[in-house]
Every structure is written in structure tokens, then in C-alpha cells.
Amino acid sequence: MIATGAWKDLVFKPYNYNSMGTLPEGGHLHPLLKVRAQIRQIFLEMGFTEMPTNNYVESSFWNFDALFQPQQHPAREAHDTFFLSEPALSHQFPRDYLEQVKRVHSRGGFGSQGYGYEWQEEEAQKNLLRTHTTAVSARMLYKLAKEGFRPAKYFSIDRVFRNEELDATHLAEFQQVEGVIADHNLTLGNLIGVLSEFFKKMGMDQLRFKPAYNPYTEPSMEIFSYHNGLGKWIEVGNSGVFRPEMLLPMGLPEDVNVIAWGLSLERPTMIKYGIDNIRDLVGPRVDLQMVYDNPICRLDKEPTIEDKARSVEDTWQLLSFQVERMKNEIRRLHSLVNQSRHIICVDPSTPPYSLLVLLRLVKSFASKTVSVETNLHSALPLLSSYFNYYLSTDSRDTQHGKGSADFNFSFVWKQSGEVKLSFCSSQRDIVGEVNVCRYLARIAEENSSTLTLYERKGEVKSSQIDECVDIIHSLLTTSNREKQSDLLKRVDKLLVASPFITGSSVSVADICLWSAINQLSDIDIIPLNIRKFFVRCCNHPWFAPHLSLN
Ligand code: PHE
């Protein structure tokens, strides 16, 4: 009509967009089949191959013995397993392999002690309705070993049977989902990784693993997933790394590990479709209208707004938890630093007299205990005994054993240039006399309620102190007379207006200056105000070690 243009002369009935379409009369998939199709799709996406599970009847050999499940195991009793009466026994087994299985059960091998009982072939011959699809996994792994090992990923979703007490969530049969991966050097980490991926694809991204026991896996883990709708953690599967006692008799290479897991198909289906009695899902009571009405299965892979909000909250909680941990760690390190030994390396050619003053201040003013250890140095008898005398004669030293005070200082004489303070913890060294002084001044202030030496003098004064201390640092580290003289002149100006650098009381800068003057080889270059300052210091109790500081 379009080609001939005939449509132009015809009258068409308008479309009725409001009319209902007719429902196609056809089959409707049972919810289990819908979920099954989804899970199958997940396995296929992940590169798994489906195992042939078309044999509900299995021998005890493959269902139990091959899996290193002892013949006395309670699961092998008639009240747990359906045994067949016709035919009752199987007779065809791979002979060599059967001998290996027998050996590993009764006498051990491959590094295992075995179970130490008389393994009976008659027991293994008994036919049963398979209790798990792991029987098929065992067959497949044996086949893999026989054909020459190559890495493999298998899955199955099929029926298994257990002689269980029937209740709202248990029937005597169910569909088992099983995944198996065989490769070189697989670990529990691989298993957790694969399970996370697998369950994420099922819409379960919050997983927890709990140690469990299976005769054929070690380690084994139960898998739990948090269900938002139910608001709780529910068990969703069982998993593990197959034991060498199971794999090595098959002839698999020693470095091959096999990780596997299993779950039921009914459980996720019941949760998904909100069915709370298994009899409404499987068996004669199933309401066909339910099958007819229930929607297609779409596993929730996209997080909902609630999921996102929850994950933000989780992240927040995790972060605050970590912050708390870090705070504790900092506190711990702090106390470690405070209590640890301080090792101070000092060069006898430039004895840091400032440290004598500051350590005595820490000792006298701090509410904490301080111990100072200065060893006598045979090559430096005079200097070392001088330090020793002024630092170690305090009676408070005898109150505590070596290293047990709140602050422990040890002097090490070393011809190595700059003064260096090392901590026994991982904290970085403090290098240079003035920097060690700054550190000690802080400790002195922190542990006394009255002492003002440095930062407690206030922001303005402490920055003035810092400036001066930097000049003194240059003075201590240069041997150039001109430069020394210049630096001294700069400091001298600071002393024009006040007895000490920042006013009428001593600061850490004064202590550094006093020490530097003591170390100067040429006293002729010392300007007038500094000379006066030096005399003042000599009359000040802090600088005169023989006087009591208090
Ligand atoms: N066969 C186990 C069961 O029936 C599931 C499982 C499979 C566990 C593979 C570990 C490894 O529950």
C-alpha cells in the first residue's frame, strides 16, 4: 500500500492505547528456576564450566570416602542419609584410586596421619541419594587429575537429598549451588576474593566469614551476609580449601589447591520472594497462582539510596574508629618518648654547658623523676667528672633504678661535632646544642607549674627567643672570628635594654648564650653588654651549680 500509494484512499481504525493486551498463555517459570538462571549466569560470567550433575544416585565412595569423610561419621548414618535398597551397592571404582583412598583413611599418607581405622570397601559400595553436589566435584577433580591437570573452574546447581527433620525451612531435598576452582597455589585469600565477587554479583556486598568445620576442607568458613530487609546477618553458604588428604590420592600435583563453596538455592529465593515457608515454594502445596504472579528475578546489584546512606555512615564510623586508634597510638608514643631513655652525644671539644643548666632545671622543677647518667671518660677525666658532678649528685637519682625514671638521660662522649639527642623510640634525632636546649626547655616547662623559659613566656617573647637562639646557633657552629664577632654584636644589642634577652628573667636563649660564651676560644671579642650579662649569670643560682636551685 505504501509502494502503490493506496493507503491514501483507505480509512484506518485509530489505535486504542488504553486497551489491555491479552496475556500470552504459556508456561511460567517457578521462582527457583528464575533464581537458578540468574546464578548460572553469574557463574558463566565468571568463566565457570557447568558440571554434569545428572545422577541423583551416588555411591558412598564418591559422596563420602573420596572426600576423606570417615566411615564412622554420623552423616553416614541412615537417619541423615537416604540409602538405596535397590540397587544397594556399586561395584565399579577406579581400583588404584580406591586403594589410595583406603590407605589415606586407614594409615594416612601425604603428610597426614589418616584416621587410623580399618577402611571397608563394603561401606564405600553403599548407594545413596547424594547428600551434596561435592560428590560430583570429587568426580570432576579425579577426572582432571587423570586427564592431566590444568586450572579449572566448575559449578553446578542441582538437587541433593538429606534425611532431615521437616520444618518451615527444611525439606528432605534441596537445590545446591556449588563452585569449585582448582589452580596452583590458591589460598584462603583467593577464596575470600572469589566469594566476595560471586556474592556481590548476587547483590550481597556485606560479607562475614566464620571458621567452620568440614571433613574435606581445611580451613573452612561459613559465609554470612547482612540482609537489609531482614535487618540481620544470615548464613548464606559454606566454603573451604579442600584437604590434601582428598586431593593428593587423586593424583593432583602437590602445589595445586582447590577452593570451593556451596549454598542452597532455596534460601536466597525465599528471601528474594518473601516466602517464609519452604512448603509454599516446593512440593504439592505450591500455589500455582504464586508461580503465575511472581515477577521476574532481578538480583539487586544497584545499591539503593538506603544502602548508599548506610555505606556513608559505615565509612564515617570506620574513619572515627581509625582516628580514635591513631589518637591512642599518638598518646602511646608520647608516653614512650617521655619515658624512654634520651641519649645525648656530646663532643668534649665543645662541651654544652647549657645542658647542665637545663637538666638541673628539669630535675629541680619537674614533678616527675629524672635520672641523668654521665659516664666518666678516661680520656676526659676532668670534663666528664665535671658533668658527672653537677648532674648526678642529686639525691633523687637514688630513688629509682637505672632507666626507670620518667625522664632518663645518658651522656655519651664522642668526638663527633654537634650535640645530638637520640631517643630509644623511633622518633628522629634532635641535632645541635640549641635545638636540644629548646627540647629540654619545653620538657622543663611542661613538667613544672612555675617555670618560664621559652614558650610559656608568651608568643612575642618566645619568637624573640627563637631569633636569638638561631644567632647563637650560628655562633656555636662557626670558627670564623669575624663572623663570631658580628654575631656577638647582634646579641649585644638585645642586652642594652634589659638584664636578660627578653627582660628581667632568664630564658633558654640566655642559657644558650652563656654556654656559647663559655665555649669561645677568644674572649677578647666579647662586647660590653654580654660581659656584664656573663657576670650577672655567674651570680644567678641557675648558672652556679653548687648553689641550691630551690
Ligand atoms: N558440601 C558442603 C555442604 O553440603 C558445601 C561445601 C562445598 C563446603 C565445597 C565446602 C566446599 O554444605
PDB file of all heavy atoms in Angstrom, residues 132 134 162 176 214 216-217 238-240 260-262, ligand 1:
ATOM      1  N   HIS A 132      25.272 -34.144  48.783  1.00  0.00           N
ATOM      2  CA  HIS A 132      25.775 -32.849  48.299  1.00  0.00           C
ATOM      3  C   HIS A 132      26.349 -33.021  46.900  1.00  0.00           C
ATOM      4  O   HIS A 132      26.732 -34.127  46.512  1.00  0.00           O
ATOM      5  CB  HIS A 132      26.808 -32.220  49.250  1.00  0.00           C
ATOM      6  CG  HIS A 132      27.935 -33.146  49.649  1.00  0.00           C
ATOM      7  ND1 HIS A 132      28.824 -32.836  50.627  1.00  0.00           N
ATOM      8  CD2 HIS A 132      28.308 -34.367  49.190  1.00  0.00           C
ATOM      9  CE1 HIS A 132      29.707 -33.822  50.754  1.00  0.00           C
ATOM     10  NE2 HIS A 132      29.408 -34.750  49.900  1.00  0.00           N
ATOM     11  N   THR A 134      29.064 -31.935  46.112  1.00  0.00           N
ATOM     12  CA  THR A 134      30.512 -32.041  46.262  1.00  0.00           C
ATOM     13  C   THR A 134      30.977 -33.437  45.807  1.00  0.00           C
ATOM     14  O   THR A 134      32.137 -33.630  45.450  1.00  0.00           O
ATOM     15  CB  THR A 134      30.897 -31.735  47.721  1.00  0.00           C
ATOM     16  OG1 THR A 134      30.156 -30.591  48.149  1.00  0.00           O
ATOM     17  CG2 THR A 134      32.370 -31.407  47.854  1.00  0.00           C
ATOM     18  N   ARG A 162      18.739 -34.988  51.871  1.00  0.00           N
ATOM     19  CA  ARG A 162      19.173 -35.257  53.244  1.00  0.00           C
ATOM     20  C   ARG A 162      17.973 -35.701  54.066  1.00  0.00           C
ATOM     21  O   ARG A 162      16.907 -35.094  53.971  1.00  0.00           O
ATOM     22  CB  ARG A 162      19.820 -34.018  53.866  1.00  0.00           C
ATOM     23  CG  ARG A 162      21.154 -33.697  53.191  1.00  0.00           C
ATOM     24  CD  ARG A 162      21.842 -32.500  53.751  1.00  0.00           C
ATOM     25  NE  ARG A 162      22.931 -32.125  52.857  1.00  0.00           N
ATOM     26  CZ  ARG A 162      23.712 -31.075  53.017  1.00  0.00           C
ATOM     27  NH1 ARG A 162      23.535 -30.284  54.057  1.00  0.00           N
ATOM     28  NH2 ARG A 162      24.661 -30.810  52.153  1.00  0.00           N
ATOM     29  N   GLN A 176      21.356 -27.513  45.485  1.00  0.00           N
ATOM     30  CA  GLN A 176      22.620 -26.985  45.976  1.00  0.00           C
ATOM     31  C   GLN A 176      23.370 -26.267  44.860  1.00  0.00           C
ATOM     32  O   GLN A 176      23.438 -26.740  43.732  1.00  0.00           O
ATOM     33  CB  GLN A 176      23.485 -28.119  46.532  1.00  0.00           C
ATOM     34  CG  GLN A 176      24.723 -27.606  47.245  1.00  0.00           C
ATOM     35  CD  GLN A 176      25.369 -28.655  48.119  1.00  0.00           C
ATOM     36  OE1 GLN A 176      25.693 -29.740  47.658  1.00  0.00           O
ATOM     37  NE2 GLN A 176      25.537 -28.340  49.394  1.00  0.00           N
ATOM     38  N   ASN A 214      34.471 -28.841  57.999  1.00  0.00           N
ATOM     39  CA  ASN A 214      34.008 -29.879  57.077  1.00  0.00           C
ATOM     40  C   ASN A 214      35.096 -30.940  57.071  1.00  0.00           C
ATOM     41  O   ASN A 214      36.270 -30.595  57.152  1.00  0.00           O
ATOM     42  CB  ASN A 214      33.883 -29.347  55.642  1.00  0.00           C
ATOM     43  CG  ASN A 214      32.844 -28.251  55.517  1.00  0.00           C
ATOM     44  OD1 ASN A 214      31.702 -28.417  55.902  1.00  0.00           O
ATOM     45  ND2 ASN A 214      33.249 -27.118  54.964  1.00  0.00           N
ATOM     46  N   TYR A 216      36.290 -32.438  54.687  1.00  0.00           N
ATOM     47  CA  TYR A 216      37.105 -32.384  53.459  1.00  0.00           C
ATOM     48  C   TYR A 216      37.757 -31.042  53.198  1.00  0.00           C
ATOM     49  O   TYR A 216      38.493 -30.895  52.224  1.00  0.00           O
ATOM     50  CB  TYR A 216      36.249 -32.787  52.253  1.00  0.00           C
ATOM     51  CG  TYR A 216      34.817 -32.279  52.347  1.00  0.00           C
ATOM     52  CD1 TYR A 216      34.456 -31.046  51.811  1.00  0.00           C
ATOM     53  CD2 TYR A 216      33.845 -33.024  53.012  1.00  0.00           C
ATOM     54  CE1 TYR A 216      33.162 -30.579  51.933  1.00  0.00           C
ATOM     55  CE2 TYR A 216      32.546 -32.558  53.144  1.00  0.00           C
ATOM     56  CZ  TYR A 216      32.208 -31.337  52.602  1.00  0.00           C
ATOM     57  OH  TYR A 216      30.934 -30.861  52.738  1.00  0.00           O
ATOM     58  N   THR A 217      37.492 -30.023  54.022  1.00  0.00           N
ATOM     59  CA  THR A 217      38.157 -28.736  53.798  1.00  0.00           C
ATOM     60  C   THR A 217      38.886 -28.287  55.048  1.00  0.00           C
ATOM     61  O   THR A 217      38.460 -28.547  56.161  1.00  0.00           O
ATOM     62  CB  THR A 217      37.168 -27.631  53.385  1.00  0.00           C
ATOM     63  OG1 THR A 217      36.116 -27.579  54.340  1.00  0.00           O
ATOM     64  CG2 THR A 217      36.606 -27.866  52.008  1.00  0.00           C
ATOM     65  N   ASN A 238      28.648 -22.161  52.759  1.00  0.00           N
ATOM     66  CA  ASN A 238      29.708 -22.890  53.439  1.00  0.00           C
ATOM     67  C   ASN A 238      30.841 -23.012  52.426  1.00  0.00           C
ATOM     68  O   ASN A 238      30.582 -23.102  51.228  1.00  0.00           O
ATOM     69  CB  ASN A 238      29.132 -24.251  53.847  1.00  0.00           C
ATOM     70  CG  ASN A 238      30.123 -25.152  54.522  1.00  0.00           C
ATOM     71  OD1 ASN A 238      31.207 -24.740  54.925  1.00  0.00           O
ATOM     72  ND2 ASN A 238      29.738 -26.418  54.668  1.00  0.00           N
ATOM     73  N   SER A 239      32.078 -22.995  52.882  1.00  0.00           N
ATOM     74  CA  SER A 239      33.175 -22.983  51.919  1.00  0.00           C
ATOM     75  C   SER A 239      34.451 -23.524  52.548  1.00  0.00           C
ATOM     76  O   SER A 239      34.496 -23.775  53.741  1.00  0.00           O
ATOM     77  CB  SER A 239      33.426 -21.558  51.461  1.00  0.00           C
ATOM     78  OG  SER A 239      33.929 -20.793  52.549  1.00  0.00           O
ATOM     79  N   GLY A 240      35.477 -23.659  51.726  1.00  0.00           N
ATOM     80  CA  GLY A 240      36.748 -24.098  52.274  1.00  0.00           C
ATOM     81  C   GLY A 240      37.778 -24.419  51.206  1.00  0.00           C
ATOM     82  O   GLY A 240      37.522 -24.290  50.008  1.00  0.00           O
ATOM     83  N   ALA A 260      36.471 -24.089  47.245  1.00  0.00           N
ATOM     84  CA  ALA A 260      35.107 -24.427  46.846  1.00  0.00           C
ATOM     85  C   ALA A 260      34.107 -23.873  47.837  1.00  0.00           C
ATOM     86  O   ALA A 260      34.460 -23.546  48.974  1.00  0.00           O
ATOM     87  CB  ALA A 260      34.962 -25.941  46.754  1.00  0.00           C
ATOM     88  N   TRP A 261      32.883 -23.769  47.372  1.00  0.00           N
ATOM     89  CA  TRP A 261      31.832 -23.334  48.281  1.00  0.00           C
ATOM     90  C   TRP A 261      30.485 -23.885  47.840  1.00  0.00           C
ATOM     91  O   TRP A 261      30.339 -24.337  46.701  1.00  0.00           O
ATOM     92  CB  TRP A 261      31.780 -21.801  48.358  1.00  0.00           C
ATOM     93  CG  TRP A 261      31.346 -21.102  47.118  1.00  0.00           C
ATOM     94  CD1 TRP A 261      30.105 -20.605  46.854  1.00  0.00           C
ATOM     95  CD2 TRP A 261      32.145 -20.779  45.976  1.00  0.00           C
ATOM     96  NE1 TRP A 261      30.087 -19.998  45.619  1.00  0.00           N
ATOM     97  CE2 TRP A 261      31.309 -20.089  45.065  1.00  0.00           C
ATOM     98  CE3 TRP A 261      33.481 -21.012  45.626  1.00  0.00           C
ATOM     99  CZ2 TRP A 261      31.772 -19.626  43.826  1.00  0.00           C
ATOM    100  CZ3 TRP A 261      33.940 -20.551  44.394  1.00  0.00           C
ATOM    101  CH2 TRP A 261      33.084 -19.871  43.518  1.00  0.00           C
ATOM    102  N   GLY A 262      29.566 -23.871  48.754  1.00  0.00           N
ATOM    103  CA  GLY A 262      28.240 -24.376  48.428  1.00  0.00           C
ATOM    104  C   GLY A 262      27.184 -23.573  49.160  1.00  0.00           C
ATOM    105  O   GLY A 262      27.437 -23.025  50.232  1.00  0.00           O
TER     106      GLY A 262
HETATM  107  N1  PHE B   1      29.303 -29.725  50.616  1.00  0.00           N
HETATM  108  C1  PHE B   1      29.097 -28.634  51.511  1.00  0.00           C
HETATM  109  C2  PHE B   1      27.665 -28.704  52.081  1.00  0.00           C
HETATM  110  O1  PHE B   1      26.962 -29.571  51.780  1.00  0.00           O
HETATM  111  C3  PHE B   1      29.319 -27.312  50.838  1.00  0.00           C
HETATM  112  C4  PHE B   1      30.733 -27.121  50.529  1.00  0.00           C
HETATM  113  C5  PHE B   1      31.193 -27.303  49.243  1.00  0.00           C
HETATM  114  C6  PHE B   1      31.620 -26.793  51.513  1.00  0.00           C
HETATM  115  C7  PHE B   1      32.523 -27.150  48.943  1.00  0.00           C
HETATM  116  C8  PHE B   1      32.943 -26.598  51.238  1.00  0.00           C
HETATM  117  C9  PHE B   1      33.385 -26.799  49.963  1.00  0.00           C
HETATM  118  O2  PHE B   1      27.281 -27.843  52.817  1.00  0.00           O
END
